[in-house]
Amino acid sequence: MSLDKRLGMRFLPYGANYLDWDDMTELRDAVRDRVLFRYQRQPESCATRLEEHAARRLGARHVLAVHNCTEALRLALVVTRPRIGDVVHIPAMTFVAVAGAVLSTGLVPVPVDIDENLSLDAGLLPADAQRVIVAHMEGGLAEVPAHVPYVIEDAAQALGSRFPDGTHAGTKGFAGTFSFHHNKVLTSGEGGLVTTNDETAYSLMRSYHDHGSARQPGRYPVWNEDAFWGENLVTSEEVAAIQLQQFRHLDEVLAGLQRHYDIMVAELPRRSDMRPLPRTAGEVKISVRLELDSRELRDRAVATLTEQGVPNWTLDKYFLPAHPVLTGRRSLYADGFPWSFAPDTPETAGLSRDGFAATRERLGRIVCLPLFPELSADEQAVAAKNARALLEQL
Ligand SMILES: *Cc1c(COP(=O)(O)O)cnc(C)c1O
């Protein structure tokens, strides 16, 4: 199959390329044993093995598997024991799931403008900020503000990224969250993990995610005298089985991303009006981000690349201050929950020095070229030269 076809077939393949029946030993075992419920499977469930593996791999004390990263964010928020209507500071540039997770937990998202690296600018946070979600977008590392009691690191797009001190993205704050959605580094279609080093938080998470119970594996759940209500966010064996298979290929995916990044950067067009955004050692980039001198030039780059079948994307879609969920303060609840608990003031609309003007302008000048870890070095070089030729002609 031609390279064009291979690149065109799937936009963001990553771990999905490594799905392989011959490698599905955990999944085969789970089906053979006819038990897909994690707390029924003895002595060792796929879910437990997955959590232990991820904890070792990431250097996190505790890992809990849930259905997706949005649930993981909600779980991390609820165990901070907030009051309804409490503010959660979130990045002005991230996927809208972050705002949705905050709102569905009864809390109010306040977007905070981004710094030079396009991550939440911790310098804008009020001194008494209690809850902050930072997002490590496309593998780039966000600062984890030290003075905030509850920092949740959304590492949905950053599995494998490490801070300069070697610690993994998602393990530095109060909690970290990961996604196994089809578009992420590893996939099980849908899937999520939450990490924490906090014993109390972990024990609350485990209980809340299983109906508020104190379950012993293999038994009907029991409720202690001090039980509170919960939900059912318990993962399933077949999903954990696929995630275990995917983890076997993590190093390969990360090495492929690194190799393609280096090839791509070496092949960038020699033009003074296009610059790659810097990268820190340890970051596992899933794209090369180019900042162009004008929006007009960026839009022409997008049009040309797209027309020629070269995969690309922009970051405008991540700009939350312009998202209808935030601008409209709308809710399916008749009383507007939970927006109804927060005054509609400039402070709740967002924290920015210039009303997000510079960010809006800057995001409009960026185009991202995705990286394809599954390609051979030769194929990656062809893909990079293709993109370069098109960008040089603009
Ligand atoms: C994908 C993503 C999410 C949501 O993850 P799901 O597993 O799809 O719920 C949250 N935050 C960011 C930054 C994401 O990219």
Side-chain angles (χ1 to χ4, degrees):
M1 197 188 298
S2 75
L3 182 60
D4 283 1
K5 279 239 174 65
R6 285 182 64 187
L7 290 182
M9 252 171 49
R10 284 185 184 149
F11 198 58
L12 285 170
Y14 311 127
N17 283 292
Y18 302 87
L19 292 170
D20 174 7
W21 267 123
D22 292 335
D23 192 25
M24 290 293 170
T25 43
E26 295 87 354
L27 184 59
R28 286 170 190 278
D29 290 352
V31 172
R32 181 202 57 210
D33 297 347
R34 299 202 165 92
V35 179
L36 300 181
F37 175 47
R38 74 169 293 180
Y39 292 128
Q40 206 63 42
R41 210 152 124 87
Q42 298 295 336
E44 236 202 8
S45 68
C46 288
T48 300
R49 276 155 60 201
L50 169 75
E51 289 163 351
E52 288 172 358
H53 180 79
R56 270 196 311 276
R57 174 77 209 222
L58 297 169
R61 194 167 301 158
H62 297 291
V63 173
L64 187 68
V66 293
H67 297 120
N68 55 59
C69 180
T70 311
E71 260 179 19
L73 287 166
R74 292 181 49 228
L75 191 53
L77 285 166
V78 78
V79 300
T80 68
R81 316 214 52 181
R83 291 172 196 277
I84 283 188
D86 276 353
V87 156
V88 180
H89 292 101
I90 67 170
M93 194 201 89
T94 189
F95 184 46
V96 71
V98 176
V102 171
L103 288 160
S104 57
T105 315
L107 307 175
V108 176
V110 173
V112 178
D113 215 342
I114 54 176
D115 60 15
E116 200 41 34
N117 296 325
L118 311 184
S119 302
L120 183 141
D121 185 347
L124 288 168
L125 291 170
D128 62 350
Q130 290 297 301
R131 296 177 181 82
V132 177
I133 299 176
V134 299
H136 303 302
M137 299 297 285
E138 300 190 354
L141 291 164
E143 182 186 339
V144 176
H147 70 278
V148 179
Y150 300 113
V151 182
I152 298 166
E153 294 175 67
D154 180 351
Q157 303 184 3
L159 181 61
S161 272
R162 287 164 176 261
F163 290 97
D165 68 1
T167 56
H168 274 270
T171 64
K172 234 183 166 61
F174 165 73
T177 64
F178 294 86
S179 174
F180 290 80
H181 180 263
H182 180 69
N183 284 350
K184 312 297 164 125
V185 172
L186 299 182
T187 187
S188 49
E190 301 280 359
L193 294 178
V194 56
T195 63
T196 185
N197 295 326
D198 183 308
E199 296 297 333
T200 308
Y202 174 68
S203 126
L204 291 175
M205 283 175 185
R206 196 177 174 285
S207 172
Y208 184 92
H209 105 298
D210 185 21
H211 307 285
S213 78
R215 186 194 297 269
Q216 293 301 315
R219 308 240 176 90
Y220 193 78
V222 291
W223 285 266
N224 293 339
E225 276 307 306
D226 59 358
F228 40 78
W229 55 265
E231 298 183 63
N232 179 2
L233 316 180
V234 176
T235 194
S236 197
E237 285 294 275
E238 73 278 17
V239 174
I242 293 175
Q243 290 165 341
L244 279 168
Q245 184 269 348
Q246 286 279 289
F247 261 106
R248 276 200 285 283
H249 298 279
L250 179 57
D251 285 329
E252 238 172 303
V253 175
L254 298 179
L257 285 168
Q258 172 74 52
R259 185 178 63 235
H260 198 180
Y261 183 90
D262 293 342
I263 291 173
M264 206 71 169
V265 167
E267 284 293 340
L268 284 179
R270 312 283 178 256
R271 296 178 61 134
S272 59
D273 53 3
M274 288 180 193
R275 294 161 303 277
L277 295 189
R279 167 178 187 251
T280 312
E283 290 181 336
V284 178
K285 293 289 199 191
I286 60 169
S287 77
V288 171
R289 293 161 162 184
L290 290 179
E291 184 164 355
L292 283 62
D293 273 359
S294 70
R295 178 164 197 137
E296 189 270 326
L297 182 62
R298 194 286 303 261
D299 289 348
R300 260 194 297 139
V302 169
T304 304
L305 293 168
T306 306
E307 200 174 290
Q308 298 300 318
V310 174
N312 69 89
W313 65 71
T314 65
L315 299 174
D316 307 61
K317 60 181 181 286
Y318 289 137
F319 184 57
L320 293 186
H323 196 288
V325 164
L326 283 106
T327 55
R329 289 171 60 99
R330 283 156 50 81
S331 165
L332 275 179
Y333 286 86
D335 62 355
F337 168 88
W339 295 110
S340 43
F341 287 86
D344 190 359
T345 62
E347 287 73 42
T348 54
L351 302 181
S352 169
R353 293 185 179 90
D354 63 356
F356 300 102
T359 294
R360 188 191 296 263
E361 193 273 335
R362 187 164 177 227
L363 294 183
R365 288 188 289 104
I366 294 174
V367 60
C368 304
L369 303 171
L371 301 169
F372 297 93
E374 77 283 7
L375 299 182
S376 68
D378 288 348
E379 291 172 318
Q380 288 170 339
V382 172
K385 283 185 204 313
N386 264 350
R388 172 184 177 164
L390 292 171
L391 291 170
E392 278 181 345
Q393 278 167 27
L394 287 178

